Amino acid sequence: MQMSNKTASTLNDLISIARDGKDFYEEAAQKVGDAELRTLFARIATNKAQIVNELSAAVQAAGGTPETSGTMVGSMQQMYGKLRAALGDTEYGYVAELEESEDRLLEAFDEASRDSDTPPAARDVVVRLLPEVRSCHDVMRARKLAMKNAH
């Protein structure tokens, strides 16, 4: 039982961070004027929802209760994103903040996949989802750099 609690707790941390991202992308998709960005944000929000669902299923399989809320850092990041968007370049502001949220998620996934304390059941799910997480991260990083260079 101890093992499954560790699995649930590891995965629940990732659920919180992925949920932050999902909520933030959904909000950003409603706020930006650029149609292509809106589509991109909506697509990544859906992707984050799938990650949350898969992690939640793994938590349940381990006998745990899936996390249903985000993190404090995520809430603060959203507030900051709103503020930054209100003050100026909405599109770049959101992309920069979202890219930061991607950094956080990727870092958390990388850590869980490398940590020797991560139970095998948790590691399997993390390793399976990692390419997806990395791909979203890379898309947002490329977008941020492209926008930065266009300014």
Side-chain angles (χ1 to χ4, degrees), residues 1 6 31 38 47 53 58 61 64 71-72 93 97 100 106-107 109 111 114-115 119 121 123 129 135 137 145:
M1 191 59 199
K6 177 75 175 129
K31 298 285 196 291
R38 255 203 318 270
N47 174 276
N53 290 342
T71 66
M72 189 59 206
E97 290 302 315
E100 246 167 69
L106 182 58
E107 197 175 301
F109 264 82
E111 222 166 87
R114 285 193 314 261
D115 188 351
R123 181 177 287 114
L129 292 173
S135 142
H137 170 269
L145 292 173

Side-chain angles (χ1 to χ4, degrees), residues 1-11 14 54-55 58-59 61-62 109 111-129:
M1 191 59 199
Q2 192 50 48
M3 191 59 141
S4 70
N5 286 347
K6 177 75 175 129
T7 298
S9 131
T10 300
L11 296 177
L14 297 176
E54 290 201 41
L55 291 170
V59 169
F109 264 82
E111 222 166 87
S113 72
R114 285 193 314 261
D115 188 351
S116 57
D117 284 346
T118 301
R123 181 177 287 114
D124 290 348
V125 182
V126 168
V127 168
R128 186 163 48 81
L129 292 173

Side-chain angles (χ1 to χ4, degrees), residues 23-34 37-43 45 94 98:
D23 294 346
F24 199 10
Y25 275 105
E26 284 170 354
E27 189 208 317
Q30 294 170 354
K31 298 285 196 291
V32 294
D34 184 271
L37 273 185
R38 255 203 318 270
T39 305
L40 176 68
F41 292 171
R43 182 171 63 84
Y94 274 118
L98 288 165

